[in-house]
Amino acid sequence: MGIQRSCRLVRLGLLAVMVGCSTPNPNVRVRRLPNGLLQVTGPLAGPFKSTAELAGNACELITRQPGASSGEYGIEYCALVYYSSAEDAFYLSHLSDIQGESKGANKSCSVPSSLDDPQHLDAIILGRSHSHPHNRRFSRQDLGEERRWFPSRIADSRTGKVFRRELLLFYREKAGECRAYKYDYADRVVTALRDGAWVPIGAVVNDLGAIQYYDGQDWTP
């Protein structure tokens, strides 16, 4: 599976010459199902012991994809985060580069809702993840009530563990540092990955996605 890139045909007289044919990105494996929803394969990365370990690795991987860190002219990539109770491990799916509606500097990636991973039939989808090519902040649409994931908690029937549904964001600074952030759909807290650990920086305070920052906290340390 994957997105097939079409090649442009340029006709010179009666001769057709194929030009501009790009090699498909092996990290992008997404398809549209008959019901219209998007499905990605997996895993692209893992196993990881925690979402913090996953986020650190995923940030480096996703923000180095073509166009992922190209500012306002870039594109978003998105993927699913999931958990295997049999392995007690977290995984990142392959990527989708199918773009949603965008206006001006706003970017969007249509997040897949389905996973195809024959190696982990017990997979529980825990999170959505995406990169920003031009800023390190969640958008208000990301944090707004209309996009909130319900149920915001999910239980593993095998172990009884209860997980919170999350949204991850990845951004690479111009200086090269990769930043990862997490939004917890259950308690509506935003955290930043710093020195390998999640640090709370604020909470969403209304249905429109406005953030109230904790004392001394911001998007950068």
Side-chain angles (χ1 to χ4, degrees), residues 112-128:
S113 58
S114 177
L115 173 71
D116 178 18
D117 182 355
Q119 300 177 49
H120 302 100
L121 298 179
D122 64 335
I124 301 174
I125 298 175
L126 300 181
R128 302 161 173 159

Side-chain angles (χ1 to χ4, degrees), residues 162-201:
V162 177
F163 297 93
R164 296 166 179 262
R165 289 269 175 61
E166 300 169 341
L167 175 65
L168 300 182
L169 167 63
F170 309 116
Y171 173 73
R172 184 172 294 279
E173 301 282 358
K174 292 181 179 180
E177 182 178 355
C178 204
R179 300 193 187 278
Y181 303 91
K182 180 177 70 172
Y183 171 53
D184 187 318
Y185 286 105
D187 63 15
R188 310 197 75 184
V189 169
V190 177
T191 57
L193 186 65
R194 293 173 183 165
D195 297 324
W198 291 115
V199 177
I201 64 173

